[in-house]
Amino acid sequence: MRMLRHLQYWLTGGGPHIRVADFVPETHPVRQWADTFPWAGLVAAVERSVAQRFPTPTARGRAPVATRVLLALELLKHELHCSDEQICSQLRTDLAVMYACGIGEVQVDGSQGHFVLPEVLAQFRSRLDAAVMDELLALQAAAAMEAGLVSPAHLVVDTFPSEQGSQRVNDAATLYKAKKKSSRSSGISPITAPPRARR
Amino acid sequence: MRRFGRQCRGQGKVFVTLVRQTETQLLTTGRQVGGLAQAAQAQVQSAGQLAEDQRIRLATQLKVALAAHQQIATQSQRLTQGKSLSQCKIVNAYDPTIAPICKGKSNCPTQFGRKPGLIAEPASGFIFAFALPVGNPADPSYVVPLVDKVQHAIGQVASRPTLAIHSLAGELALNDSKLRETLHGRGILTVGIPQTVEPLTPAPTPEEIRRMLHEAGLPHQRTPHQVQLACAAGYSRPVVESIIASLLGRGAARITYKGQRGAIVQIGMAVMAHNAATVRRIHQDRLSKRAQKFRRLLRLKRHKANEFKDSKN
């Protein structure tokens, strides 16, 4: 009951900080999944790549969202099969998602300083490129090999198809459909009309 | 190659006529683009209120847009003249990097998308690298870049310097003799290439091992034990399918991010999420019996379930 009151306080008003790790069980799948990543190396690689290709951000305005949070959100999006809006919404309320994003403590008031807008996530994604993705995967593989969990000795290679999602309809398809639709609506000819049932 | 969906026949004559008519209309409409682009370029150059870097950025964007238009116009001209298109035809005006992912007949609809390649450990399903080339190149062209990426990752391991790729298994990709020679030159055995209709034996005899080592030219680089392990790992379609299914379930089935760069980011994130889930399974010892046996033979670490005590966050 005390814990519930504590949580309710966090949802509605101001107060002390909550330690996120205390509320996410060690056996929680998202916690175990998040603990496998070599976060320090991944974040450093992304920041190095972004610093080389983009101008340094100004100190004015709201403090930027940490790279660790954005990278974790992007990965969680795939793991939990969410859209940008859904994962950003989960970050506001789901303590396991907060843990995966490396948020150690949450302010117990309604202001929710840790929130991330979906637009910020999309902007972060637009700054990633093929080189940094290769680097991130190499770091993850190196960490797994270093820990003796996997071995590159015997490997298998293959390809698979990925469909193009949300593809725009081209002009040819539109015209074809319009033609078909107009021929249908122009009326059924007596030859093709279905025979009437006999009484 | 793995494909999705059902191939069904369409009305070929209708599509060909319709495409030719549409392309003629598009070419007529697009004639004005050249003149308009030149005028816009002149306006950008003469605009005094724009900063230098802004002007350069706009000019570059205009140049890229014009190049895309030029590509589409060339393709349209070929279509109206009844000439066949080159291998990497443009199927989406907004993303010229999308290509047909299987080569079918001209009167059958074909899927458009991308064909990522992956290189993975068959025991656990951990993916070491992926490749996503532009268009739909032949399968053998994936192999060497993927091997290079794995060797780059091995180079980053400091505490275990003896790591190396001993063997590579593949269905279609390793049928190319030139590619096999390249891999043998790097000291990598190639297995899973069916020379007869009979399936490869997972436990080869000493004579067969000697023959394999001799054919690969690696009798001094690879040991008979490594050949035995390579044959035991082999190429198993269910193993590959399980890795692919895991990726498809993590958003690799439909590419929704824009362009080639977006597709690489999406596939890359799906691969990393899959790898994290794989490592979690290894930690919990939730592996198949075959994988457990293979891991024992490779002397890989076996984790206990209670090793998650300390937070790594």
Side-chain angles (χ1 to χ4, degrees), chain A residues 21 26-37 39 42 68 71 74-75 77-79 81 84 98-103 124-130 133-168 170-173 175-177 179, chain B residues 2 4 11 14 18 22 26 92 94 98 101 112-122 126 128-130 146 149 152-154 156 158-160 163-170 226 229-230 235 237 240 244 249-250 252-255 257 261 264-269 271-273 275-277 279-280 284 295 300-301 303 309 311-313:
Chain A
E26 281 163 8
T27 52
H28 196 286
V30 173
R31 180 172 178 161
Q32 291 182 344
W33 176 85
D35 281 344
T36 62
F37 286 99
W39 288 112
L42 299 180
R68 165 82 169 79
L71 183 61
E74 189 57 40
L75 288 163
K77 201 186 137 183
H78 288 86
E79 184 61 20
H81 219 273
D84 283 359
M98 287 179 209
Y99 178 88
C101 290
I103 297 171
F124 167 74
R125 199 162 52 226
S126 71
R127 292 186 165 204
L128 300 176
D129 64 354
M133 286 314 301
D134 284 342
E135 190 60 32
L136 294 182
L137 191 54
L139 282 169
Q140 192 187 29
M145 284 188 276
E146 193 107 39
L149 296 170
V150 291
S151 161
H154 303 282
L155 300 174
V156 65
V157 64
D158 213 322
T159 60
F160 68 97
S162 281
E163 198 180 345
Q164 188 64 34
S166 64
Q167 194 163 2
R168 296 179 76 112
N170 58 15
D171 293 343
L175 274 171
Y176 175 67
K177 278 185 182 170
K179 206 174 168 184
Chain B
R2 193 176 188 279
F4 56 79
Q11 295 174 349
V14 176
L18 200 66
T22 318
L26 283 173
N92 189 330
Y94 303 95
I98 299 174
I101 52 174
F112 302 117
R114 292 164 206 280
K115 198 174 69 173
L118 52 90
I119 187 161
E121 189 200 42
F126 189 92
F128 281 89
F130 75 98
L146 283 170
K149 285 181 184 179
H152 171 67
I154 291 171
Q156 296 195 6
S159 64
R160 293 159 62 94
L163 292 173
I165 306 173
H166 296 166
S167 76
L168 195 61
Q226 287 170 350
L229 279 177
Y235 180 84
R237 194 66 217 167
V240 176
I244 293 171
R250 288 182 167 83
R254 284 173 76 89
I255 304 289
Y257 294 175
R261 191 196 52 77
I264 289 171
V265 171
Q266 187 173 340
I267 298 285
M269 290 293 173
V271 166
M272 286 182 74
N275 279 347
V279 171
R280 192 177 145 241
Q284 294 176 334
R295 286 177 65 77
L300 287 170
K301 202 173 174 181
H303 275 255
K309 287 274 182 196
S311 168
K312 293 174 187 171
N313 224 344

Side-chain angles (χ1 to χ4, degrees), chain B residues 48-229:
Chain B
Q49 68 272 26
L50 292 176
E52 185 59 30
D53 55 343
Q54 201 176 1
R55 201 177 299 148
I56 292 167
R57 200 181 69 236
L58 287 172
T60 314
Q61 283 175 354
L62 196 61
K63 213 170 160 182
V64 170
L66 269 177
H69 170 256
Q70 190 60 40
Q71 275 183 329
I72 296 164
T74 312
Q75 179 167 305
S76 298
Q77 277 161 5
R78 286 188 76 87
L79 280 171
T80 49
Q81 289 162 8
K83 290 177 186 171
S84 62
L85 290 173
S86 58
Q87 196 186 3
C88 285
K89 60 186 99 170
I90 301 163
V91 293
N92 189 330
Y94 303 95
D95 190 355
T97 54
I98 299 174
I101 52 174
C102 64
K103 297 175 184 75
K105 291 178 181 175
S106 62
N107 63 341
C108 295
T110 183
Q111 294 88 7
F112 302 117
R114 292 164 206 280
K115 198 174 69 173
L118 52 90
I119 187 161
E121 189 200 42
S124 60
F126 189 92
I127 298 171
F128 281 89
F130 75 98
L132 191 58
V134 175
N136 183 9
D139 281 2
S141 67
Y142 284 74
V143 179
V144 175
L146 283 170
V147 170
D148 287 341
K149 285 181 184 179
V150 178
Q151 282 178 333
H152 171 67
I154 291 171
Q156 296 195 6
V157 183
S159 64
R160 293 159 62 94
T162 54
L163 292 173
I165 306 173
H166 296 166
S167 76
L168 195 61
E171 190 182 32
L172 292 170
L174 299 182
N175 276 337
D176 188 25
S177 57
K178 202 177 166 187
L179 173 65
R180 279 206 304 261
E181 280 172 20
T182 310
L183 293 172
H184 293 163
R186 289 186 180 200
I188 301 170
L189 286 163
T190 51
V191 287
I193 311 151
Q195 290 176 343
T196 61
V197 289
E198 287 177 20
L200 284 171
T201 169
T205 57
E207 287 77 35
E208 281 175 329
I209 290 172
R210 259 198 301 277
R211 184 181 53 77
M212 282 174 78
L213 281 171
H214 189 71
E215 276 178 5
L218 304 166
H220 303 297
Q221 277 180 277
R222 295 283 158 244
T223 61
H225 178 64
Q226 287 170 350
V227 179
Q228 274 179 331
L229 279 177

Side-chain angles (χ1 to χ4, degrees), chain A residues 90-129:
Chain A
Q90 278 199 37
L91 179 68
R92 304 180 83 149
T93 53
D94 194 333
L95 286 161
V97 171
M98 287 179 209
Y99 178 88
C101 290
I103 297 171
E105 285 187 336
V106 184
Q107 182 87 40
V108 189
D109 64 3
S111 64
Q112 300 225 345
H114 64 273
F115 79 89
V116 176
L117 291 173
E119 289 80 6
V120 177
L121 188 57
Q123 197 186 9
F124 167 74
R125 199 162 52 226
S126 71
R127 292 186 165 204
L128 300 176
D129 64 354

